[in-house]
Structure formats: structure tokens, C-alpha cells
Amino acid sequence: QKIVNNEEPRILNKLFIFMQYNFKYDLIYYQLNSMLINKIKTPILITGGSGFIGSQLINKLIKSNIEVHVLLRKSSKIKKIFSKKIHYVKIKKINFNNFNEIEKYIGKLQPKTIFHLASSGISERKVYKTKLNEINYLFLKKFYNICLKYKFAIFINTGSVSEYGNSDLNIKFKENKIFTNHSFYGISKLNGTRYISYKSSKRKVSTITIRPFYVYGPYENKNRLISAIVTKMVNNKKISLPKNDKVYRDFIHIKDVINFYIKVASSNKKFYGDIFNLGTGKKTTIFHIFKIIKKIVGYDLEPIHNYSLKEEYDYSSVACMIKTKKVFKYKTNVSINAGIIETVRWHLKNIT
């Protein structure tokens, strides 16, 4: 509460420095993306618009007064869309098992740019494994084949770092390398990616898969790492971290993620099933994230270490960005420290 009540000058100074940086970055980010957005072929269709990346992609497009069509499951709700621009969002709720209705919708709309972000990442308890396979593989397979009938310009699929499996090697993950020990979620996502890559290469239709690594930033779900840590710190609760303080992830800010999706969609290049990593290519330890947030919030407790060996083993991954940088001349702009400060600030204002 001392943060909310502005009783901590040190915290306010950090936030002020970040706001100066963020304003400059936002101006550049807006100017560059406005030019690229106008190159995206319309109509634009997005699945998974209620998720973190999907909702922020919608916001980016409608800020430029671009109409966006959103295909949602009947059980889904969009809560993160800018209300002043909501009239640019055309939502169609459909039972995702009703492929006849989906085909009628696609046939009428005939989208030219398709962002596929719909996925299922729920618990891997046995009862849910069928659901993971239905959404991440079987739905994508049928949905992609429907879209093929109506000659889209580009289909952008969203994969996952989980498609790589786990590696005990201290190496960056390359797009053409798959390891062992996959989760069922990872297998279901990998099957979907492999299917559309194969189909695209055979049919010569422009299709790519983007594999985001650990995406974070404002509007992230409260169960995500940074928001979960902030919530516990504000409530003075103990925080569990891996015992190995070298455990790391490749954290990429949501602004850099949306920037890449726009860059891909506006490109005139043809891709026949290509896969591109989306990360920073840099390691950030979980302990480093903890220390930054601890200083901002003024948290005094030390972390506890009750991760299992398997949980620690599953944790570390970093993207090899050579291919992405070479093809798209892409680089990230938000540093991890600035991004965390922004995310914590947003969380304190909107969640706690």
C-alpha cells in the first residue's frame, strides 16, 4: 500500500525514469508500426483474441483505425480491448466444433491476413489431454484447411517454446532442433505446427509459425510470473523460487512481440511453412526478476525453495534469434529492467 499512497520516493523516482524512456520508445514504436500496419492486407482475422498476445494485437490494429474480425469460442470474453475503438472490432462467437458454421463465416469474410492465436494451455491432468489435442492440433488442422479454400495472403500461426521439449544442454534453441521430454501441451502444439508447415510447403501458400518465448508486460494475466510475484509481495507472502539461482528464461516484452507480428504480416516475402523464434536471445534468471521487483516494491522476505528437480529442469530456455534477425532485420527495443518496471507499475495500479 505504501506504493499506491506515494510514500516511497525511491520507487517514484524509478517509475519517473522509466516513464521518460517509455514515452520516447512509444513514439518511435507508434510511428514505425503505423507505416507497417497500413501494408497489411485486409480483411484481418484473429483467433484467440481474448488471450494476452491476441488482445494486445487487436488493440494495436484498432488504434490505427483498422477493422479487425475476431473469431472466438462461445465461452470466451474479450476484456482488454480499448473501449474508445471497440467499434473497429467485429466479433463472431462460434462453437469451435461446428466446422460447417466456421466455413460459412470464413467463406463470407474471405480474410487475407489470418493471425491464429487460439490455443489451449490448461492443466495436463489426464482428463484434459484430449482438450489440448482438440484445440492445439485437430482444430488448427481443420481450420487451416478451411482457410486454404479462400486464398488468404498470409496465415500466421502462433507456436510455443514448449514445442522444443527440454534440453540439459546450455544452448540456444534453434527452430530446426527438437529435444525430448515434451509435455503433452508441447506435443499438441508441435503437431499443429508440423501439419501446417507440411501443408503450406506442398500447396505453396504463405504460412509461418511464430514461436514466442516468455512474453510479459502490462495486461498480462495475474497468474503470470511477474504479476504473481508482485501480488505476493504486496500481500507480504512468501515466494517460491528455484533453488538453483542460475535457472533462466528468455523474457520478451509484449510491445516487442506485437511489433514482430505486425512486421511479419506487412512483409511481402513468401514463407512456406517457415518457423521463427521470437525472443531476445538473452538469458534472464528468475532470481534477477525477483531482485528487481523486490527493490521496487520494498519487499523484505527471502524466497523459499520448494521446486522439484523436474520443475527446475523444465524451466531454462533461450531463443536462437539468428534466423529471425536475418530474415526480418528484427531487434527488440524494451530492456528487461525497463519492461519489469513498467509491468510492476501497471500491476500495482490495476490489479492490487
Side-chain angles (χ1 to χ4, degrees):
Q1 293 300 317
K2 63 183 178 182
I3 298 168
V4 179
N5 295 331
N6 298 333
E7 294 177 10
E8 181 54 78
R10 175 175 53 81
I11 295 168
L12 293 178
N13 184 52
K14 285 178 178 287
L15 295 180
F16 178 71
I17 293 172
F18 169 75
M19 288 171 68
Q20 288 181 310
Y21 161 82
N22 199 43
F23 175 77
K24 292 177 182 178
Y25 172 73
D26 278 348
L27 182 60
I28 297 171
Y29 174 76
Y30 176 79
Q31 290 172 337
L32 290 175
N33 278 286
S34 291
M35 292 187 290
L36 293 177
I37 285 172
N38 290 325
K39 295 181 180 180
I40 299 176
K41 294 180 175 61
T42 58
I44 297 170
L45 174 63
I46 295 178
T47 69
S50 60
F52 182 29
I53 298 176
S55 62
Q56 297 316 298
L57 179 59
I58 292 170
N59 282 336
K60 188 61 191 175
L61 292 168
I62 64 177
K63 271 187 175 181
S64 295
N65 300 332
I66 301 295
E67 185 174 86
V68 179
H69 299 267
V70 182
L71 188 63
L72 281 181
R73 282 172 277 195
K74 287 188 174 180
S75 58
S76 298
K77 296 179 181 179
I78 292 186
K79 300 179 180 179
K80 304 172 184 177
I81 304 304
F82 299 140
S83 58
K84 291 182 180 180
K85 298 282 187 174
I86 194 67
H87 55 283
Y88 286 105
V89 182
K90 309 301 179 184
I91 298 173
K92 176 67 174 179
K93 288 197 171 186
I94 290 179
N95 183 337
F96 272 26
N97 292 322
N98 191 338
F99 291 100
N100 288 331
E101 188 177 358
I102 291 174
E103 180 157 4
K104 288 179 182 178
Y105 173 72
I106 297 297
K108 183 177 180 180
L109 179 62
Q110 299 205 16
K112 294 303 177 186
T113 301
I114 302 170
F115 296 96
H116 179 65
L117 293 121
S119 69
S120 179
I122 56 179
S123 168
E124 293 204 10
R125 286 180 295 169
K126 187 174 181 180
V127 67
Y128 291 123
K129 287 185 177 180
T130 300
K131 181 65 69 175
L132 286 168
N133 193 58
E134 283 178 0
I135 297 298
N136 297 337
Y137 173 51
L138 296 178
F139 173 79
L140 172 57
K141 180 179 178 180
K142 293 179 181 178
F143 179 67
Y144 185 73
N145 282 321
I146 289 172
C147 293
L148 280 175
K149 297 179 183 180
Y150 299 99
K151 298 181 180 180
F152 54 77
I154 186 168
F155 188 102
I156 302 171
N157 178 48
T158 302
S160 168
V161 63
S162 296
E163 293 178 34
Y164 288 110
N166 300 310
S167 171
D168 55 1
L169 302 175
N170 188 22
I171 60 175
K172 294 184 177 182
F173 290 8
K174 292 185 178 180
E175 288 87 347
N176 62 352
K177 183 68 175 177
I178 300 297
F179 304 103
T180 56
N181 299 318
H182 285 81
S183 64
F184 198 85
Y185 169 75
I187 292 171
S188 65
K189 292 291 290 184
L190 181 60
N191 287 340
T193 294
R194 282 176 166 170
Y195 178 81
I196 65 169
S197 292
Y198 169 78
K199 197 85 176 197
S200 170
S201 65
K202 288 291 185 182
R203 295 283 297 270
K204 299 301 179 188
V205 287
S206 193
T207 301
I208 83 164
T209 291
I210 297 173
R211 280 184 180 152
F213 276 60
Y214 197 87
V215 185
Y216 75 99
Y219 298 95
E220 69 176 23
N221 295 332
K222 60 183 179 181
N223 63 339
R224 303 284 288 179
L225 179 69
I226 294 173
S227 290
I229 289 176
V230 174
T231 298
K232 288 189 175 182
M233 284 185 177
V234 169
N235 291 289
N236 207 36
K237 293 183 178 180
K238 283 280 189 178
I239 293 169
S240 176
L241 295 180
K243 187 175 183 179
N244 179 0
D245 62 8
K246 298 295 189 294
V247 169
Y248 59 85
R249 279 184 174 176
D250 188 339
F251 291 86
I252 181 167
H253 194 277
I254 186 65
K255 288 179 181 175
D256 286 324
V257 170
I258 300 306
N259 183 21
F260 185 65
Y261 273 81
I262 297 297
K263 200 174 187 70
V264 169
S266 62
S267 174
N268 289 322
K269 297 176 181 179
K270 297 293 183 181
F271 305 97
Y272 303 125
D274 291 84
I275 299 167
F276 292 91
N277 281 338
L278 182 52
T280 63
K282 299 175 182 178
K283 300 177 182 178
T284 300
T285 65
I286 307 304
F287 191 65
H288 179 72
I289 299 290
F290 172 81
K291 287 195 298 183
I292 294 176
I293 301 174
K294 181 179 180 180
K295 288 180 181 179
I296 298 172
V297 175
Y299 181 72
D300 296 324
L301 302 178
E302 292 301 317
I304 57 176
H305 305 288
N306 59 2
Y307 274 52
S308 67
L309 289 177
K310 181 181 183 304
E311 285 175 319
E312 294 205 7
Y313 176 71
D314 289 351
Y315 230 91
S316 296
S317 60
V318 64
C320 175
M321 292 294 290
I322 294 174
K323 180 180 178 182
T324 303
K325 289 179 178 179
K326 181 179 179 180
V327 174
F328 289 101
K329 305 292 186 279
Y330 175 75
K331 66 176 182 178
T332 56
N333 290 286
V334 183
S335 71
I336 187 67
N337 289 0
I340 291 173
I341 292 171
E342 180 193 24
T343 305
V344 172
R345 176 172 172 261
W346 175 86
H347 186 96
L348 290 170
K349 181 179 179 182
N350 295 278
I351 304 298
T352 58

